[in-house]
Amino acid sequence: MNIEYLWHSFAAILNQMSPYILLGFLIAGLLHVFIDPRTMSRHLSGRGWRPVVKAALLGIPLPLCSCGVLPTAVSLRRQGASKAAATSFLIATPQTGVDSIAATYSLLGLPFAVIRPVAALVGAVVGGGAVALLDRTGQEAGVVLGREAREDYSRLSFGRKLLASVRYGLVDMVGSVGKWLVIGLAVAALITVFVPDSFFVSLSSHPLLAMLAVVAVAIPMYVCATGSIPIALSLILKGLSPGIAFVMLMAGPAANFASVIILGKTQGRRATAIYIGSVVATAILFGLVIDLLLPASWFVPAGVQAAASCHVEYGVFDTLCSVILSCLLVYTLVIRRHNHKHNKHQEMKKTYHVKGMACNHCRATVEKQISALPGVTSVSVDLASGTATVEGDAEPEAVVNAIRLAGFETED
C-alpha cells in the first residue's frame, strides 16, 4: 500500500469537503437557535406529500455537499421535521445548489443545468414519499426531540444567539457526527486510491451497465456537486454518452460512506436504503431519458476544460477550513469526550456511611442489595470504615432504601 498516496487522497478529500461541512454545521446552529421548532414542525412535520415537497424545494438551492447537509438535516429533524421530510432534504440538497447549477451551465450547457435540479426534485419527492409509506417508525419522533432538546434562546440578545449558534454547530453537532465522519473519510480515501478512474470507461458500449458501474464507483467515493461537473465532462470527452455523465452528476454528490454511515445512525437502516435506492433509480432513469429520448445535440459540452480542473489545487481558504475542522474533531472526539467521561465518572461515584455492620456477612448483604439496583455498575463496601462506595447512575434515595432493606441505617 502506498501510504503517502493514501494520505494525500485523504487530505485532498478533506480539503474538498471541509468548507461545505463547516458551512453545514453553521447552518445547523443557526437553525437550532433562530428557528422556532413550532415553525419547523408546522411546515416539515406530519404525514403526506406537502412537507416532503417543501423540504425538497428548501434543499435544492442550498450549496451543501452530502456531508455538509448531514448536520443541517439532523438539526431539522431535531427541530420537528418528519423523517420523510428530512430524507427529501437529504436527497435534494447535495445534488444541486446555486453554485453547482451555474457551474453546470458554464461547463455542460443549459440542458444539463435545467435537468439537474428537476431530477433532484423528483428523486427527493419520491424518496421522501417512499419513507413516509414504507418506514413509519419514528415519523413524529423529530417533533418530540425538537421540543425536548432545544434550550430557551428567546431572551438572548442577537450577539449571544450568534455565539450559541456557533457553539451548537461547531461543538455539539461536530461531537454528534464527528466519529462517523472520520470513518467515512477514511473509507472514501481507500476507495479513491484503489478504484481507478478508468474503471468504467471500457463499458461505453453497454450504457446501462456503464451507468451501474458509475453508480458503484460514485456513491461510495466522495465528490461534491461542483466537483462532479468536470468529471462528467471528462466522461463525455472520452466518448461516453451524456446519460452516463449525468449519472455521475447526480449519484456522485448525493451519497458517500460518510453520509451513508451517519444516515444509518440517525435515520435508520430502512430510510437509508430508501435514500440510496431513490438516488440510484432517479439518476439512471434520467440518464436513460437523456440518451434515448432527447436530442444528442442538446448535450454537447459548452466547455473543453480538463476534468481535473476543479478541486485539485487548494488555496489558503480550503486548507484553513481543513485545519479548523480537524481541530474541532480532535477537541470534540478526544479532549472534550475525555473531560466529559472524567467528570461523569466523578459524578457517578458516591460514598454512603452504613451503621451497624459487624462482619463480612453484613458487608456481603449490603453489597448484594445495592448491586441489584438499576444503574449501579460497581459497589465496594469497607467494613472497617463502615462505608459503601457506589458507582453508577442510581438515585441516591434508591441506594439509601436498599441499605435499609438490608437491615442497616445510613447517615446519608
Side-chain angles (χ1 to χ4, degrees):
M1 180 188 298
N2 191 330
I3 301 297
E4 183 178 357
Y5 182 34
L6 183 64
W7 166 249
H8 282 304
S9 297
F10 181 88
I13 295 173
L14 178 63
N15 251 23
Q16 195 171 338
M17 294 171 65
S18 57
Y20 298 94
I21 295 175
L22 291 175
L23 178 61
F25 283 133
L26 289 173
I27 291 176
L30 293 171
L31 288 172
H32 177 77
V33 174
F34 283 93
I35 295 182
D36 191 332
R38 292 173 296 182
T39 302
M40 194 63 63
S41 175
R42 183 168 64 252
H43 289 284
L44 298 184
S45 66
R47 303 185 184 277
W49 292 95
R50 183 171 296 181
V52 172
V53 174
K54 287 182 178 179
L57 293 175
L58 173 66
I60 284 175
L62 292 180
L64 296 176
C65 67
S66 57
C67 285
V69 72
L70 287 168
T72 308
V74 172
S75 180
L76 287 174
R77 184 87 172 107
R78 292 178 177 177
Q79 296 287 69
S82 67
K83 183 183 288 188
T87 302
S88 176
F89 182 83
L90 283 165
I91 294 174
T93 307
Q95 292 181 327
T96 59
V98 290
D99 58 334
S100 63
I101 293 173
T104 301
Y105 171 75
S106 65
L107 287 182
L108 299 177
L110 181 61
F112 272 115
V114 172
I115 296 175
R116 192 175 190 182
V118 172
L121 176 62
V122 172
V125 172
V126 170
V131 168
L133 293 174
L134 302 177
D135 187 7
R136 299 183 180 276
T137 59
Q139 283 290 348
E140 305 301 330
V143 180
V144 177
L145 180 59
R147 290 173 182 170
E148 291 180 352
R150 189 179 190 272
E151 300 177 16
D152 183 13
Y153 298 103
S154 60
R155 298 182 179 180
L156 296 180
S157 64
F158 181 78
R160 289 185 178 274
K161 285 183 178 180
L162 285 179
L163 290 176
S165 300
V166 172
R167 177 173 179 79
Y168 179 83
L170 298 185
V171 178
D172 296 340
M173 289 298 297
V174 173
S176 296
V177 303
K179 172 184 175 182
W180 308 109
L181 178 61
V182 172
I183 293 174
L185 281 168
V187 174
L190 288 170
I191 292 176
T192 301
V193 169
F194 291 107
V195 178
D197 296 337
S198 59
F199 172 73
F200 40 78
V201 175
S202 59
L203 302 174
S204 57
S205 58
H206 304 86
L208 183 57
L209 187 59
M211 290 180 184
L212 293 174
V214 168
V215 168
V217 174
I219 282 186
M221 182 174 60
Y222 173 78
V223 58
C224 69
T226 303
S228 66
I229 298 170
I231 299 177
L233 175 63
S234 69
L235 295 180
I236 295 176
L237 295 178
K238 288 178 181 178
L240 297 184
S241 69
I244 297 174
F246 188 80
V247 172
M248 169 59 73
L249 282 177
M250 304 307 292
N256 57 59
F257 268 107
S259 60
V260 170
I261 290 173
I262 300 175
L263 277 172
K265 295 294 180 180
T266 59
Q267 295 287 91
R269 293 182 179 179
R270 181 174 297 181
T272 302
I274 294 173
Y275 170 91
I276 296 174
S278 300
V279 170
V280 173
T282 305
I284 292 179
L285 175 62
F286 274 83
L288 292 174
V289 168
I290 289 173
D291 282 347
L292 301 178
L293 301 180
L294 299 179
S297 59
W298 286 11
F299 301 98
V300 176
V304 292
Q305 292 89 339
S309 63
C310 180
H311 295 297
V312 173
E313 295 183 359
Y314 305 101
V316 176
F317 179 74
D318 294 326
T319 304
L320 180 61
C321 288
S322 296
V323 171
I324 293 174
L325 180 59
S326 300
C327 292
L328 290 172
L329 289 170
V330 171
Y331 172 72
T332 56
L333 298 181
V334 181
I335 300 174
R336 188 170 182 243
R337 183 165 296 182
H338 172 75
N339 293 338
H340 175 72
K341 288 183 177 179
H342 177 74
N343 295 334
K344 187 175 181 181
H345 177 75
Q346 294 297 325
E347 293 173 358
M348 292 173 63
K349 189 174 182 179
K350 184 173 177 59
T351 300
Y352 299 83
H353 296 277
V354 183
K355 296 180 180 179
M357 293 189 300
C359 62
N360 286 328
H361 176 74
C362 298
R363 177 186 57 78
T365 302
V366 173
E367 285 185 350
K368 182 178 180 181
Q369 197 71 37
I370 297 176
S371 298
L373 294 174
V376 173
T377 58
S378 175
V379 180
S380 176
V381 178
D382 183 61
L383 189 62
S385 61
T387 59
T389 302
V390 181
E391 294 185 16
D393 56 1
E395 294 293 334
E397 294 82 1
V399 176
V400 171
N401 289 334
I403 294 173
R404 290 172 178 170
L405 287 174
F408 302 93
E409 292 296 328
T410 175
E411 298 176 356
D412 300 278

